[in-house]
Amino acid sequence: MSMTLPERLDAKLFSDLLARIALRPDAASPETAPLIAPFTGEKIIDVPTCALADVTHAAEEAHLAQKAWRALPAKRRAKLFLRFHDLVLDRQETLLDLIQLETGKARRHAFEEVLDTAICSRYYAHAAPRMLASESRQGAFPVLTKASVLHPPLGLVGFITPWNYPLSLAITDAIPALIAGNAVLLKPDQQTPLTALFAARLLDEAGLPPGLFQVLTGPGRTLGEPILDRVDAISFTGSTATGRIIARQAGERLIGASLELGGKNAMLVCEDADLDRAVRAAIVGAFTNSGQLCISIERLFVHRALADAFIERFVNQVRALRIDAGFGDEADMGSLVNAAQLAKVERHVRDALAKGAQALAGGRARPDLGPYFYEPTVLDGVTDAMEIFSEETFGPVVSLYRFDSEAEAVERANASAYGLNASVWTRDTKRGFELARRIEAGTVNVNEPYAAAWASVDAPMGGFKTSGLGRRHGREGLLKYTQAQTVAVQRFMPVSQTPGGDGAAYRKRMTDAVRALRRLPGVD
Ligand code: NAD
């Protein structure tokens, strides 16, 4: 099986991108690792692997660049991201080619990343300077104490990111870190370095100072620890298992760690749901990027009163999905990313079928389309004896369950170690809101599978339980890359008792003052 690359992906582009890797200029020939295209299993190029000395060199350069960068006004730093926003939209065809080349996803799913990156850039470019400005807080004593909170940057922030959304997840969390005045060390997944390097070049073109944004390529196993040793905070997106390793290392160094991890997300379809919309949403929720999406739907709970009608329409539409390789806009779903992902999906489905589940649609690999393709699959009759019941599959497989009452649906949705995203379907949005607040998940979408909460970038996004620690997006996703520094200016008289003074008079004055404050609104 051989692949014709779009014209934009030529040898010159690849060599320019590899030149952006943070290798020391004087280094001997680095080791390399082959980059495989999931559509065909063919090698695209060999990518240099960074060594320990490269991490040290990149961290030094980044620290140096950060000194001048942090001194600029936040507005100046932020403005650059409006230029980046425009470049991402203007160069989207090349971005889409690279994302598809490295992940094997359908072009329509790659476009979600372009959109997301533009939305985040615009949002933080406009909102961040205001959030980073110093804030006045209530001082110890009115008039006497003026307290302000400043938000200086942390310094150097490390980003370790996965392959499934190689543009969004490598860049959108780094944008607030940069606007806050930090430098960045980014280690993208080994499967997706080119997309991250292209984004780095767009940042250069937008005017980011040299040295500030370093991209290190290679395995997390060897580069993770040296990166964690050199940064002032780490932002990690990936599996819960790796998240625990990162958290331990960050704990040892006492640096902040923000962790965006796995999910086993539920969709609840109430008996008054709009059936057609809910069916289409279940398809988007379960099969976008072949289910390799942290917030995708793997558990589908449908009210028994509407289950038969729902299942019939859902299964028919799943069977009609167009799965294909290629750089056009036609495919509804693309490939899985690699052999390990395919093996996990096959293992989960095989285990479920062997223990009595039925595949209502799909259930097979499609080697005729490419080495890692797998059909969109709907399982019925899944029980807690099966791996797929509780483990994240991260593939195009959804399990169907019927429920009789809301209370039962909420209890079963919450019976998971994860708590990343959920979706609730009802025509009564007030009821949807009430149901949503009972679900243990960082984001809950009412009448949308995942995008409404994700794209509301002014609101925080992250996981309950083992789905993560910390939040991306909004004020929370910016201020985590800063210190909170309180500056209190005291006037006229001191707060503390000074040596040699009249102790009894001081006690009386302070007791009266504290009693007076008790009566002031907003102080108690
Ligand atoms: P992974 O944890 O294997 O890899 C993610 C990154 O960590 C890669 O860059 C990898 O090189 C690096 N890494 C691996 N071992 C490491 C180590 N010991 N030390 C430091 N770094 C290491 O995850 P994956 O399988 O590539 O990604 C899929 C997982 O990511 C799924 O569980 C998915 O749910 C999760 N995810 C979560 C979100 C979110 O926002 N919550 C988003 C996307 C993906």
Side-chain angles (χ1 to χ4, degrees), residues 189-421:
D189 192 273
Q190 257 187 304
Q191 177 63 38
T192 52
L194 299 180
T195 306
L197 290 162
F198 190 76
R201 280 180 33 120
L202 294 185
L203 284 171
D204 298 343
E205 217 174 310
L208 202 72
L212 201 66
F213 188 88
Q214 303 277 343
V215 184
L216 295 155
T217 48
R221 247 181 5 268
T222 54
L223 292 178
E225 207 169 325
I227 290 173
L228 264 113
D229 278 343
R230 285 160 182 78
V231 294
D232 301 300
I234 187 81
S235 173
F236 171 77
T237 307
S239 62
T240 295
T242 311
R244 290 185 203 280
I245 297 173
I246 303 268
R248 271 197 290 276
Q249 290 169 3
E252 207 45 58
R253 283 212 51 225
L254 285 180
I255 58 169
S258 150
L259 309 167
E260 303 288 344
L261 310 175
K264 186 78 186 173
N265 310 303
M267 174 166 156
L268 275 53
V269 184
C270 298
E271 74 273 29
D272 70 336
D274 178 329
L275 195 60
D276 282 329
R277 277 188 64 202
V279 164
R280 282 198 300 275
I283 288 175
V284 172
F287 304 122
T288 292
N289 194 19
S290 304
Q292 301 167 118
L293 166 64
C294 55
I295 46 182
S296 74
I297 303 298
E298 295 203 1
R299 299 180 297 149
L300 188 44
F301 296 91
V302 185
H303 194 280
R304 200 174 298 279
L306 130 151
D308 288 347
F310 181 96
I311 291 168
E312 191 192 343
R313 284 186 215 191
F314 181 53
V315 166
N316 284 339
Q317 289 185 35
V318 172
R319 287 195 184 126
L321 289 174
R322 297 162 300 179
I323 330 167
D324 202 5
F327 295 86
D329 281 297
E330 301 77 25
D332 293 314
M333 200 181 96
S335 174
L336 291 169
V337 76
N338 58 26
Q341 279 296 118
L342 177 64
K344 187 174 183 197
V345 171
E346 288 190 307
R347 193 184 80 227
H348 276 189
V349 174
R350 206 171 36 241
D351 172 69
L353 296 181
K355 291 175 181 161
Q358 307 91 50
L360 303 184
R364 297 183 301 151
R366 291 292 301 270
D368 53 315
L369 298 174
Y372 315 128
F373 278 82
Y374 196 90
E375 284 181 345
T377 299
V378 181
L379 295 183
D380 198 4
V382 169
T383 69
D384 60 5
M386 304 168 189
E387 276 179 279
I388 202 163
F389 181 82
S390 53
E391 272 185 40
E392 182 186 43
T393 306
F394 219 52
V397 188
V398 66
S399 305
L400 269 172
Y401 305 95
R402 294 157 190 78
F403 66 87
D404 293 297
S405 74
E406 265 179 20
E408 178 200 349
V410 170
E411 192 186 323
R412 289 168 69 187
N414 287 343
S416 169
Y418 293 109
L420 192 58
N421 179 49

Side-chain angles (χ1 to χ4, degrees), residues 26-302:
D26 55 343
S29 302
E31 284 181 22
T32 60
L35 182 59
I36 305 295
F39 277 151
T40 58
E42 284 172 294
K43 185 176 95 170
I44 311 163
I45 43 166
D46 289 308
V47 179
T49 299
C50 291
L52 180 61
D54 297 313
V55 183
T56 306
H57 181 259
E60 284 167 3
E61 285 217 318
H63 267 303
L64 218 58
Q66 194 253 342
K67 287 202 169 80
W69 177 245
R70 68 172 292 167
L72 294 176
K75 257 193 169 157
R76 276 271 302 280
R77 296 194 300 256
K79 210 167 142 202
L80 190 150
F81 290 89
L82 290 177
R83 288 199 292 279
F84 180 66
H85 164 278
D86 298 344
L87 287 168
V88 165
L89 293 179
D90 292 349
R91 306 285 172 78
Q92 63 176 276
E93 296 298 341
T94 310
L95 274 168
L96 296 176
D97 290 345
L98 287 169
I99 294 170
Q100 285 200 278
L101 181 72
E102 293 188 313
T103 65
K105 67 173 73 172
R107 204 163 187 85
R108 67 184 59 210
H109 300 150
F111 180 66
E112 288 193 342
E113 301 200 52
V114 168
L115 213 52
D116 181 39
T117 306
I119 289 172
C120 261
S121 305
R122 186 253 304 142
Y123 167 71
Y124 278 118
H126 288 312
R130 206 175 49 247
M131 294 171 180
L132 292 168
S134 69
E135 305 161 48
S136 258
R137 295 284 181 95
Q138 192 175 87
F141 294 99
V143 186
L144 303 185
T145 321
K146 182 178 173 346
S148 312
V149 179
L150 314 183
H151 302 289
L154 297 172
L156 179 59
V157 183
F159 289 83
I160 298 180
T161 56
W163 45 263
N164 64 331
Y165 280 72
L167 174 65
S168 271
L169 298 175
I171 297 298
T172 58
D173 293 330
I175 291 169
L178 289 164
I179 298 182
N182 298 286
V184 164
L185 288 189
L186 165 67
K187 195 213 77 67
D189 192 273
Q190 257 187 304
Q191 177 63 38
T192 52
L194 299 180
T195 306
L197 290 162
F198 190 76
R201 280 180 33 120
L202 294 185
L203 284 171
D204 298 343
E205 217 174 310
L208 202 72
L212 201 66
F213 188 88
Q214 303 277 343
V215 184
L216 295 155
T217 48
R221 247 181 5 268
T222 54
L223 292 178
E225 207 169 325
I227 290 173
L228 264 113
D229 278 343
R230 285 160 182 78
V231 294
D232 301 300
I234 187 81
S235 173
F236 171 77
T237 307
S239 62
T240 295
T242 311
R244 290 185 203 280
I245 297 173
I246 303 268
R248 271 197 290 276
Q249 290 169 3
E252 207 45 58
R253 283 212 51 225
L254 285 180
I255 58 169
S258 150
L259 309 167
E260 303 288 344
L261 310 175
K264 186 78 186 173
N265 310 303
M267 174 166 156
L268 275 53
V269 184
C270 298
E271 74 273 29
D272 70 336
D274 178 329
L275 195 60
D276 282 329
R277 277 188 64 202
V279 164
R280 282 198 300 275
I283 288 175
V284 172
F287 304 122
T288 292
N289 194 19
S290 304
Q292 301 167 118
L293 166 64
C294 55
I295 46 182
S296 74
I297 303 298
E298 295 203 1
R299 299 180 297 149
L300 188 44
F301 296 91
V302 185

